[in-house]
Amino acid sequence: MDTLKGKAGKGVCFCGLVLSGCVAGALVEASVGYLHYAWQLPNDKIQKEITIRARVLKGGCVPSDNILSEHDSTCDKSYKYLVKFIAFEPKVSPYNRTETESNAELLMGKKGLLTSSTYTFVKNADVEHCLHNGDEFTAVVKLKPRYSTQNPVGSNKQMQLLVDNVHVTGYIKTLHSASVTHKHSFRLRMAAVLHTIDIQNRIWWQALLVGIRVNFDKPHWQLLQVTGTGHLFSISGMHLGVVAAYTLLLSAGFLLSASYTKRVVKALISMLRLPHWFAALHLPLQFSLQEAHTLAPVFAIKYRIMIIGAVWVVCGFYAALSGLALPVVRAFVLLTIASVFSLLFIAYRPIHIATAMVAMSIVLFPLSILSASFYLSVCAVFYIWFLTTRFRTENGSRFKTLLLLQLLLGVFMAPLTIIFFNSLSVAGLIANIIAVPVITLLLPPALIILLILTLVHPLVYPSKVDATDGGAVDNIYQMAESLFIYLDSALSWLLSVLRYIAHYDWAAINIHIDSKVAACLLVCMMVIIAPPWRYKRHALFVLTIPLLAFYIPSNPDQWKVHVLDAGQASAIVVIKGERAMVIDSGASYRNLAYTASSVLLPLLKREGVEAIDIIVHTHKDNDHAGGKAALASSPLAQNAMWFSPTKNCELGRVEQWEGLAIHFLWPKAGNTINNNDHSCVLKITDGQRSVLLPGDIERTTEYAILALPNSKTNLKADVLIAPHHGSNTSSTDVFLKYVAPKAAIFTQGFENRWQFPAKAVTLRYEALNIPYYMTSFHGYLTISFPADSHTYFNQNTTGFTVHSQRFDLNKRWYLDARYPTHLLLSLESH
């Protein structure tokens, strides 16, 4: 009985300890979240010109060959600089000093993400240049709060900004060149030295050795994504592990060699019968076997301290060299915890050290739990421990063990990559088996050679043009440079293998399933390889239900309208069953149609769409037709019918599609003009419910449509996509009265420069009691029309339901919605 009470007491104590830790962690996370959530850029400071002084933390250009030059760089495109605001310059401010001081004081110590175009606007200087990491500069900037579009697929920039502690975003309007102070770090000099070496893979080496990937273009990113090797070409925890392993082997080998050297010296002293005074110099070597047995643990402790200390110092230097990248710092924390446990002779299991690592990472970096890298790092460590424990792989040959671990690790990490990246790299299983050993062999020697080149470069560079002296420094530089060129040849071979693997169609598969389904799949895989237990089969059955339910087709009689959050652009999809029609495809920038390629098409795949039957671009403007090329290249649109103001779109035409009728209300037949006033105006109806999509028509076109026969009947609709994003040149009172919508949607961007929707327009909708939604405020919107018009999912009687990304589908505290400032200030003024 006493034994049972003792065990129960220990159990209660353990549960209390776990509970207290969870409560403490929740309080820490809540307090950090509150601090970030509470700080907001005041509404009257948004999009105002502010003169600031800041330091570039990340994203800067890499200096060119002449690292002593302050202005030459490899900047050939627009850059996004992660900066820290440090001061203000009232003398160069175009505004009142008091106002500038108040603006600057709000920003001191905060981080911002600033965009700079290819040509920076420079005052008092003839040379145009871009900034480097570590540079301090003064500039006139326009800022916005931390914010981004919100869609069910695609990257979540707003969350990533929070993870990076970024409080504001904006752009550099005017950079004062004379104020730039160049403070190139040693890491940046290493990247610059790579430009002096005649190698083919300079950009890859910059990413691998110093973690700078600003020069990566689309082919680079595609290769990493398809082959699943992105973690190799960025400084990460794996790289620190490689450095730690090499340091451990070298330091242990050195100490072992020193021990053998002592034994050899001792033997020579005895053989040569050297004088006693010489032998006294080597007194530590001359002790009896009994004394050696007594002192062995002491020397073992000393050697352990020396080896662990060497590993810790080298890894600390590497972490500093990486710019204190978060994954590296997390790995360094793990190394520190393991080192302390080892030095203090604390008995621990892998689960203990893993728990300590996770706890310390959360305490030091509380917002990292929102990042994909945190879960990928933690799960990778957990899987390695679990797999080696479950299958006892350490008992087999090392080669088979590593091969099996790599394969199983790739399989078990697949659900996580699906959750965070909506893709699965099949080629990654093969590519990583080849790439990981090669990178492990290349990284340490390449890093050492680059360090040597960076230290020697300032001594060699002045004489590099006519290096004929043949000095020792020049010889060292040339030898190191030659060795690096050989390593570059090995990297070229690896990249050629990766490109060969990546060119197959099966190399990467885009999988768009719900994150909860992927999480269930992950747990299911863990249960499969877990030891047998009583309810294992039952658990597997329950965990597979979400995956099977995901592929059950939706009601073919129900149709939905998906309004994407495309910024200051328009992209709308209508889905019924497994077919879809697209009305506008968003904007494109520098030939990259992000909305069409990364949001619209993946959304269709996630919804199980097999084909796009109709594509309507209401007019040719970039914010409506920017994704035309992306849609045209998609297999889903191979047999699509295309509509535009000058093709197929004409008054009176009616298309029947999947039981829906598409009525074209504008422009008139024979139109040859493709602009706002001649936008395609179409109405989609099932006979009971309808949606009106008027493009960017303006007041004159609204009046022209109203003058047409049967206009009152033709225009009436349940849902209206507000014309021209809510511009004051449209949405006239009489037009809204004819349409009489039960809901309206403004497709507009956050803090857009045109201030859409206009205050006067919103007042018109409010006066007519028309509820409206804004994509900048609500995010992505989905309008569901059930098969039975008398079946409603809420208490209203509109015949449809509207759900938004920010308030219904993915409501999170860190994805708070911000009301348009110009409308908010108008409300406050009243």
Side-chain angles (χ1 to χ4, degrees), residues 93-109:
S93 172
Y95 298 100
N96 178 272
R97 176 187 174 92
T98 303
E99 182 181 354
T100 304
E101 287 179 356
S102 63
N103 289 346
E105 288 174 358
L106 292 169
L107 297 171
M108 292 306 97

Side-chain angles (χ1 to χ4, degrees), residues 147 563 565 725 744-749 756-758 762 771-781 804 806-807 817-820 822-823:
Y147 209 70
V563 182
D565 186 3
H725 314 284
I745 297 175
F746 295 102
T747 55
Q748 37 76 244
F756 292 158
T762 59
Y772 57 84
Y773 301 83
M774 295 175 286
T775 53
S776 71
F777 183 66
H778 295 88
Y780 157 88
L781 294 157
S804 68
R806 291 186 186 273
F807 293 93
R818 289 187 66 97
Y819 207 71
H822 66 282
L823 298 180

Side-chain angles (χ1 to χ4, degrees), residues 43 759 818-830:
N43 291 326
K759 179 60 180 177
R818 289 187 66 97
Y819 207 71
T821 304
H822 66 282
L823 298 180
L824 199 60
L825 293 177
S826 300
L827 292 174
E828 293 174 354
S829 63
H830 286 76

Side-chain angles (χ1 to χ4, degrees), residues 699-721:
R699 182 182 296 112
T700 56
T701 304
E702 291 181 359
Y703 292 152
I705 295 176
L706 291 172
L708 295 172
N710 301 320
S711 60
K712 189 171 184 178
T713 303
N714 292 337
L715 286 175
K716 186 172 178 59
D718 295 288
V719 179
L720 170 66
I721 306 299

Side-chain angles (χ1 to χ4, degrees), residues 620-810:
K620 67 177 181 180
D621 287 356
N622 178 60
D623 60 329
H624 289 255
K628 182 177 181 180
L631 290 179
S633 61
S634 172
L636 293 177
Q638 286 183 351
N639 301 315
M641 181 181 293
W642 295 73
F643 292 80
S644 70
T646 58
K647 181 181 180 181
N648 296 327
C649 224
E650 57 185 37
L651 174 64
R653 180 166 182 164
V654 180
E655 290 287 339
Q656 298 296 329
W657 175 76
E658 296 297 312
L660 301 178
I662 306 170
H663 298 268
F664 291 90
L665 309 179
W666 194 260
K668 295 181 178 180
N671 172 64
T672 59
I673 304 174
N674 196 337
N675 60 10
N676 286 1
D677 279 331
H678 294 81
S679 295
C680 289
V681 178
L682 60 152
K683 176 182 174 181
I684 305 172
T685 178
D686 61 3
Q688 294 177 323
R689 288 78 46 91
S690 56
V691 179
L692 182 65
L693 302 102
D696 276 1
I697 62 171
E698 314 236 356
R699 182 182 296 112
T700 56
T701 304
E702 291 181 359
Y703 292 152
I705 295 176
L706 291 172
L708 295 172
N710 301 320
S711 60
K712 189 171 184 178
T713 303
N714 292 337
L715 286 175
K716 186 172 178 59
D718 295 288
V719 179
L720 170 66
I721 306 299
H724 202 180
H725 314 284
S727 168
N728 196 29
T729 60
S730 56
S731 293
T732 58
D733 286 321
V734 64
F735 181 79
L736 295 180
K737 288 178 181 178
Y738 269 63
V739 179
K742 298 174 183 177
I745 297 175
F746 295 102
T747 55
Q748 37 76 244
F750 175 66
E751 298 301 326
N752 61 87
R753 59 180 175 176
W754 297 278
Q755 295 191 341
F756 292 158
K759 179 60 180 177
V761 172
T762 59
L763 290 176
R764 292 175 206 155
Y765 282 85
E766 292 169 3
L768 295 173
N769 295 319
I770 302 173
Y772 57 84
Y773 301 83
M774 295 175 286
T775 53
S776 71
F777 183 66
H778 295 88
Y780 157 88
L781 294 157
T782 177
I783 310 162
S784 301
F785 297 92
D788 183 0
S789 61
H790 300 289
T791 302
Y792 308 123
F793 295 100
N794 51 20
Q795 297 179 354
N796 63 43
T797 57
T798 58
F800 60 87
T801 57
V802 180
H803 293 99
S804 68
Q805 184 73 5
R806 291 186 186 273
F807 293 93
D808 304 304
L809 305 177
N810 191 33

Side-chain angles (χ1 to χ4, degrees), residues 169-244:
T169 61
Y171 66 93
I172 298 175
K173 184 176 182 182
T174 305
L175 175 67
H176 300 279
S177 175
S179 69
V180 177
T181 303
H182 293 272
K183 297 182 178 180
H184 295 172
S185 64
F186 186 77
R187 173 171 168 244
L188 190 62
R189 285 185 168 271
M190 291 175 64
V193 167
L194 285 171
H195 282 273
T196 67
I197 309 174
D198 185 18
I199 52 178
Q200 298 179 354
N201 307 297
R202 182 178 296 108
I203 295 177
W204 293 102
W205 283 115
Q206 287 179 351
L208 177 62
L209 299 179
V210 292
I212 295 178
R213 301 195 288 184
V214 294
N215 291 320
F216 271 20
D217 53 21
K218 188 176 181 180
H220 292 89
W221 292 114
Q222 286 181 339
L223 180 62
L224 295 180
Q225 181 181 4
V226 172
T227 59
T229 54
H231 63 288
L232 297 177
F233 292 95
S234 64
I235 294 183
S236 63
M238 191 209 80
H239 294 72
L240 185 130
V242 172
V243 172

